[in-house]
């Protein structure tokens, strides 16, 4: 029906894994310029799609997670974090008090220092950005 059709279009997206090391903010700039934004993950379908995109690459990759205020995690594209999360056990732990950006590590989420350079995952909305 109409709502189902609508949600199909809204959720349709593609992930792009970029195997070049950038800081979280540099990766965000690149994703916004070239695609839509750093990866947003809303549910298990997204999570699986992203894991497929990583193609067995289990080392660190930035996604769109960031800590807007202390322990208030948001997505780079401005959407809030849904009830769905895939934090690694014990994360986010803000190790050393300097971890305000989120990465994929071993298919789970971890908070890491935003200034670290690592590969990253952008998403591309097939309907374009709503911004
Ligand atoms: O054990 C989890 C822990 O592992 C590392 O710290 C030792 C990560 N640090 C970096 O990625 C810089 C922590 O974020 C992580 O919580
Ligand atoms: Ca951490």
């Amino acid at each position: 029906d109409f709502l189902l059709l609508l949600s199909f279009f809204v959720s349709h997206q593609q992930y792009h894994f970029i195997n070049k090391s950038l800081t979280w903010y540099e990766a965000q700039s690149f994703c916004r310029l070239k695609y839509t934004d750093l990866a947003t993950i809303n549910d298990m379908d997204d999570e699986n799609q992203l894991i497929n995109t990583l193609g067995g690459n289990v080392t660190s990759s930035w996604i769109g997670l960031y800590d807007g205020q202390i322990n208030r995690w948001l997505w780079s594209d401005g959407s809030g974090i849904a009830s769905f999360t895939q934090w690694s056990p014990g994360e986010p732990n803000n190790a050393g008090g300097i971890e305000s950006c989120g990465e994929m590590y071993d298919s789970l989420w971890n908070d890491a220092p935003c200034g670290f350079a690592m590969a990253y995952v952008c998403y591309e909305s097939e309907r374009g950005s709503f911004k």
Side-chain angles (χ1 to χ4, degrees):
D1 65 10
F2 173 75
L3 277 180
L4 204 58
L5 195 66
L6 186 68
S7 77
F8 170 76
F9 282 127
V10 169
S11 67
H12 208 164
Q13 64 181 351
Q14 204 182 331
Y15 289 118
H16 297 274
F17 171 61
I18 294 143
N19 201 3
K20 279 187 188 173
S21 290
L22 294 181
T23 67
W24 190 90
Y25 285 100
E26 289 168 346
Q28 181 190 52
S29 296
F30 179 90
C31 291
R32 287 178 172 180
L33 194 67
K34 193 102 203 287
Y35 300 109
T36 302
D37 212 317
L38 275 169
T40 290
I41 304 165
N42 285 315
D43 53 32
M44 203 61 213
D45 283 348
D46 286 356
E47 179 81 8
N48 286 328
Q49 189 185 335
L50 192 141
I51 289 165
N52 284 340
T53 304
L54 289 175
N57 188 314
V58 295
T59 59
S60 298
S61 307
W62 288 127
I63 52 176
L65 275 175
Y66 73 101
D67 196 355
Q69 293 163 31
I70 293 176
N71 229 8
R72 193 180 155 75
W73 288 86
L74 301 167
W75 294 111
S76 176
D77 69 2
S79 56
I81 302 244
S83 49
F84 176 84
T85 63
Q86 285 290 99
W87 291 110
S88 199
E91 307 296 346
N93 65 352
N94 195 23
I98 55 162
E99 299 194 317
S100 297
C101 288
E103 61 166 349
M104 287 291 281
Y105 190 87
D106 272 345
S107 303
L108 294 171
W109 307 354
N110 173 46
D111 57 343
C114 302
F116 271 41
M118 59 177 85
Y120 53 99
V121 185
C122 305
Y123 85 91
E124 180 176 16
S125 165
E126 297 211 334
R127 298 252 122 186
S129 166
F130 289 98
K131 280 180 284 182

